[in-house]
């Protein structure tokens, strides 16, 4: 399979600070990759390097085998950036037509309007759209050239909950087409969890974790089965179950830490353990990241608290 | 080619829909024209022609200078600082296209402004010129305005959004007054008359004044204007290149 994106020993220095340090990754065509990490981790710089907006200090970036600064490569890329103010005095449809004109085989402007759910607003001045509508317009602009690689930097910022859900559904629908590759950043972990095939977690300019979503959750080991135990159940009964790593009691409430919650649950049933009120977790990506980052963060500073993913900008 | 036309179309639409453009490039020059021609008398002789003819050239130049400075400076500053340029840079559109379409759109606007001023002069003040004089002076002012389009781009490259608007407006009025566009040079003190000969505005208008009074323009007019054009262009290119370095550093 053709590699959509190849980062080979890429480093980027701004002044005397290394924003990205020796990053290597190969992203296969047709993959949806989420680039995640706390603020200042180097996500935006990594994105800029892949878009050809910044040149690597060392190493090389290849998009579909070409240099991203070349127009020939850019014809096959679609981009949605953060913090872009649309130009004044231009209508929605005019902007879409304009972007379509940049590409050799653009999508139909009407289709793009429908895709962005903006058909009734085609003649409206673009800057007068709501924040969420502007993001959808920018998504349409990113799709104008029917790109093979789509870059989405915080695409759902400014959208409300239902708009966000609609956006991801849309994205999933168009993603599978012709092996389109998607690279996205988001600070909503549950969004990355639901859409991405693969996650790259960045910290201090490096890729700390690289793997499939399931794999990452598995590695973090934060899966569990919990239940309310009957009076006859003892700790040794619980440890007799397969794949149990740890057991914690709080009153009659038992919580089993495991890599295989399904196996544990099945065994509880077949062992006729006196248990009810089952609760099962396959692990949340956000918890996985927090635990993985805590492991690599030896001095345990509190910079990875709940706020670590909470802001939309980074340096 | 299709993208070039589409891009030019958008740039023109943005000009036409811009209220600032109408105020600075049409209302102000036309208003001044009608006011001063009536105050001083249309048939008063100046520089070998009538005041109505002379001042029509002054105000057409004034309009073109305003469109170049005000039209592009704030728009370029906006696109550069508010993320739009970054997005455009990720598309296959070349930076040459990006700049040239803005310039061409502005030149077309220049022609429209000159036509409006000439129509007002011809219809309201009964200015009479030969066809060659109308066409040559009109084309000269519209295309000579290129120097001010480049100056507008330069201001937009250097200054932020708010600053560029202030700088462009200031440059517009200072260059216009010192270049003798508002008041004829011979009514100004000798020092001002001397200063005017260094101003690009003066030389842009001077060629037109000479044309309509049946005299031939001087070599100095072209030389001075060309110098300004070259310096503005070189500075704009230098600032652009330098900015790219800083970002890549």
């Amino acid at each position: 399979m053709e590699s959509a994106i190849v980062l080979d020993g890429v480093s980027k220095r701004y002044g005397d600070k290394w924003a990205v340090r020796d990053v290597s990754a190969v992203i296969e065509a047709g993959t949806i990759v989420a680039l995640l990490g706390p603020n200042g981790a180097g996500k935006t710089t990594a994105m800029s390097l892949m878009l050809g907006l910044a040149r690597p200090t060392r190493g090389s970036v290849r998009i579909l085998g070409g240099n991203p600064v070349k127009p020939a490569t850019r014809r096959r890329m679609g981009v949605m950036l953060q913090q872009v103010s649309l130009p004044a005095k231009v209508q929605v449809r005019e902007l879409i037509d304009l972007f379509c004109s940049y590409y050799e085989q653009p999508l139909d402007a009407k289709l793009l309007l429908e895709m962005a759910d903006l058909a009734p607003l085609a003649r409206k001045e673009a800057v007068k759209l709501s924040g969420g509508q502007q993001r959808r317009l920018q998504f349409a602009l990113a799709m104008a050239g029917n790109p093979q690689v789509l870059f989405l930097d915080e695409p759902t910022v400014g959208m409300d909950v239902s708009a966000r859900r609609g956006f991801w559904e849309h994205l999933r629908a168009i993603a599978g087409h012709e092996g389109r590759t998607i690279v996205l950043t988001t600070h909503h972990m549950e969004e990355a969890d639901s859409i991405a095939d693969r996650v790259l977690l960045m910290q201090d300019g490096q890729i700390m974790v690289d793997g499939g979503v399931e794999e990452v959750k598995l590695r973090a080991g934060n899966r569990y089965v919990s239940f309310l135990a009957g009076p006859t159940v003892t700790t040794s009964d619980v440890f007799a179950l397969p794949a149990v790593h740890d057991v914690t009691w709080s009153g009659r409430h038992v919580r089993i830490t495991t890599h295989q919650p399904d196996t544990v649950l099945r065994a509880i049933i077949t062992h006729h353990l006196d248990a009810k009120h089952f609760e099962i977790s396959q692990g949340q990506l956000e918890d996985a990241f927090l635990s993985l980052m805590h492991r690599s963060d030896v001095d345990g500073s509190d910079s990875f608290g709940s706020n670590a993913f909470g802001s939309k900008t980074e340096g | 080619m299709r993208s070039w036309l589409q891009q030019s179309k958008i740039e023109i639409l943005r000009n036409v829909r811009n209220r600032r453009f109408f105020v600075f490039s049409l209302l102000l020059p036309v208003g001044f024209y009608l006011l001063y021609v009536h105050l001083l008398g249309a048939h008063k002789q100046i520089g070998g022609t009538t005041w109505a003819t002379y001042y029509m050239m002054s105000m057409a130049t004034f309009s073109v200078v305003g469109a170049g400075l005000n039209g592009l400076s704030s728009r370029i500053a906006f696109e550069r600082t508010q993320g739009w340029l970054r997005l455009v840079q990720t598309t296959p559109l070349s930076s040459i296209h990006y700049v040239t379409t803005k310039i061409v759109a502005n030149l077309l606007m220049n022609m429209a402004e000159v036509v409006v001023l000439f129509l007002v002069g011809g219809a309201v003040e009964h200015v009479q010129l030969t066809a060659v004089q109308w066409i040559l002076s009109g084309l000269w002012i519209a295309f000579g305005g290129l120097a001010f389009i480049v100056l507008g781009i330069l201001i937009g490259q250097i200054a932020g959004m708010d600053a560029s608007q202030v700088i462009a407006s200031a440059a517009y009025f200072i260059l216009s007054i010192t270049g003798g566009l508002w008041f004829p040079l011979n009514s100004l003190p000798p020092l001002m008359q001397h200063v005017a000969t260094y101003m690009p505005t003066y030389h842009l208008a001077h060629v037109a004044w000479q044309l309509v009074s049946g005299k031939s323009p001087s070599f100095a007019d072209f030389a001075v204007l060309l110098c300004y054009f070259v310096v503005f262009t070189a500075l704009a290119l230098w600032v652009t290149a330098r900015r790219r370095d800083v970002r890549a550093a």
Side-chain angles (χ1 to χ4, degrees):
Chain A
M1 209 196 294
E2 188 193 8
S3 298
I5 299 169
V6 178
L7 303 176
D8 185 13
V10 175
S11 299
K12 179 67 185 176
R13 189 180 58 199
Y14 287 108
D16 54 1
K17 186 180 176 288
W18 289 91
V20 165
R21 286 184 292 163
D22 196 30
V23 165
S24 292
V26 176
I27 295 164
E28 300 302 331
T31 319
I32 302 181
V33 181
L35 188 60
L36 306 169
N39 297 325
K43 289 180 309 217
T44 296
T45 304
M47 205 68 152
S48 298
L49 290 165
M50 286 189 273
L51 299 176
L53 290 175
R55 315 276 177 109
T57 312
R58 282 191 213 129
S60 79
V61 179
R62 282 273 172 277
I63 308 293
L64 299 162
N67 187 334
V69 303
K70 295 266 159 63
T73 312
R74 291 183 168 172
R75 269 191 262 280
R76 303 163 77 190
M77 294 161 50
V79 181
M80 192 173 165
L81 293 174
Q82 284 189 71
Q83 291 163 329
V84 171
S85 302
L86 300 170
K89 311 285 176 196
V90 187
Q91 296 168 359
V92 170
R93 175 66 193 258
E94 288 166 354
L95 268 185
I96 290 182
D97 285 340
L98 177 66
F99 267 63
C100 285
S101 78
Y102 294 161
Y103 299 91
E104 277 167 0
Q105 288 170 318
L107 290 177
D108 180 55
K110 280 206 185 89
L111 179 74
L112 289 167
L113 278 171
E114 278 163 27
M115 202 183 259
D117 205 10
L118 291 172
L121 299 169
R123 292 289 160 210
K124 194 164 174 170
E125 194 183 334
V127 287
K128 301 216 167 113
L129 297 176
S130 73
Q133 288 167 341
Q134 289 199 20
R135 288 308 276 166
R136 297 210 304 270
L137 173 58
Q138 289 179 35
F139 176 68
L141 299 182
M143 287 300 295
N146 194 14
Q148 279 162 281
V149 184
L150 186 59
F151 293 91
L152 307 171
D153 197 2
E154 296 282 358
T156 55
V157 164
M159 293 187 191
D160 59 30
V161 177
S162 70
R164 285 220 306 264
R165 193 173 302 133
F167 177 84
W168 291 116
E169 273 167 19
H170 240 106
L171 189 65
R172 209 173 284 116
I174 63 132
H177 281 253
E178 297 134 28
R180 205 187 316 274
T181 310
I182 300 176
V183 178
L184 59 97
T185 68
T186 174
H187 62 274
H188 292 285
M189 280 296 148
E190 73 282 2
E191 294 182 345
D193 199 344
S194 70
I195 189 132
D197 303 315
R198 179 173 166 189
V199 289
L200 297 177
L201 173 65
M202 290 194 71
Q203 195 182 339
D204 299 329
Q206 290 177 303
I207 293 180
M208 298 304 300
V209 179
D210 176 1
V213 173
E214 290 308 307
E215 194 185 325
V216 169
K217 287 184 196 167
L218 195 64
R219 233 193 298 168
N222 58 347
R223 302 179 163 193
Y224 64 87
V225 177
S226 73
F227 54 86
L228 196 61
T232 59
V233 179
T234 65
T235 304
S236 56
D237 291 338
V238 179
F239 270 113
L241 300 166
V244 173
H245 293 298
D246 195 18
V247 179
T248 50
W249 289 80
S250 91
R252 296 306 295 167
H253 211 95
V254 181
R255 184 179 174 120
I256 300 171
T257 312
T258 173
H259 274 80
Q260 294 162 286
D262 300 337
T263 310
V264 172
L265 186 63
R266 217 173 275 124
I268 292 169
I269 308 292
T270 55
H271 285 131
H272 299 290
L273 215 60
D274 181 11
K276 57 184 179 180
H277 295 283
F278 289 106
E279 197 186 307
I280 181 161
S281 170
Q282 302 292 347
Q284 298 290 319
L285 198 55
E286 181 150 9
D287 298 337
F289 281 155
L290 292 177
S291 78
L292 287 168
M293 284 199 299
H294 271 301
R295 268 181 230 172
S296 63
D297 187 40
V298 183
D299 51 27
S301 78
D302 61 4
S303 60
F304 306 115
S306 58
N307 243 349
F309 300 101
S311 168
K312 60 185 177 184
T313 54
E314 68 172 64
Chain B
M1 194 60 204
R2 195 169 54 91
S3 84
W4 199 86
L5 288 176
Q6 190 69 246
Q7 185 82 29
S8 305
K9 183 187 127 190
I10 297 275
E11 293 299 335
I12 291 168
L13 283 173
R14 287 171 73 186
N15 273 323
V16 172
R17 291 172 186 162
N18 188 347
R19 204 174 299 129
R20 270 180 69 85
F21 165 79
F22 273 98
V23 172
F24 280 109
S25 301
L26 287 175
L27 276 181
L28 209 54
V30 169
F32 270 19
Y33 179 65
L34 295 173
L35 179 70
Y36 279 97
V37 166
H38 281 272
L39 282 179
L40 293 160
H43 301 292
K44 195 181 163 210
Q45 287 294 307
I46 176 167
T49 183
T50 65
W51 171 237
T53 311
Y54 181 95
Y55 206 53
M56 182 176 75
M57 294 300 150
S58 306
M59 284 300 106
T61 309
F62 177 56
S63 169
V64 160
V65 170
L69 287 172
N70 295 307
L72 279 182
S73 56
S74 54
R75 192 179 309 166
I76 284 190
F78 172 85
E79 293 184 2
R80 185 171 58 77
T81 57
Q82 304 299 304
W84 182 251
L85 183 61
R86 238 173 104 77
L87 179 65
V88 170
Q89 280 171 340
T90 68
T91 71
L93 183 81
S94 73
S95 44
I96 305 274
H97 268 48
Y98 174 78
V99 176
T100 53
T101 51
K102 281 185 161 41
I103 291 174
V104 168
N106 226 294
L107 284 175
L108 287 173
M109 299 315 293
N110 282 357
M111 283 195 237
E113 293 149 20
V114 170
V115 167
V116 168
L117 258 302
F118 281 12
L119 281 175
V120 171
V124 182
E125 302 299 342
H126 310 293
V127 171
Q128 290 189 338
L129 292 171
T130 66
V132 173
Q133 282 175 321
W134 282 115
I135 292 168
L136 273 188
S137 60
L139 285 177
W140 165 254
I141 292 172
F143 282 90
L146 194 60
F148 299 94
I149 294 176
V150 179
L151 180 57
I153 293 174
L154 176 63
I155 293 171
Q157 283 283 1
I158 295 171
M161 244 186 345
D162 298 330
S164 69
Q165 215 165 70
V166 174
I167 294 171
S169 300
Y172 176 39
F173 290 118
I174 292 170
L175 288 175
S176 298
I177 294 169
T178 56
L181 300 183
W182 281 20
F183 318 106
L185 268 195
N186 57 19
S187 69
L188 295 175
L191 175 68
M192 291 286 282
Q193 293 192 26
H194 182 70
V195 168
T197 58
Y198 293 99
M199 290 296 146
T201 36
Y202 169 76
H203 291 282
L204 180 58
H206 192 246
V207 172
W209 290 328
Q210 295 288 91
L211 279 172
V212 294
S213 55
K215 289 175 257 176
S216 55
S218 69
F219 172 75
D221 291 329
F222 298 107
V224 172
L225 209 56
L226 185 68
C227 280
Y228 272 106
F229 174 73
V230 169
V231 169
F232 293 155
T233 307
L235 277 175
L237 289 173
W238 179 71
V239 169
T240 311
R242 196 170 142 267
R243 183 157 278 127
R244 197 173 296 146
D245 276 356
V246 168
R247 201 178 50 203

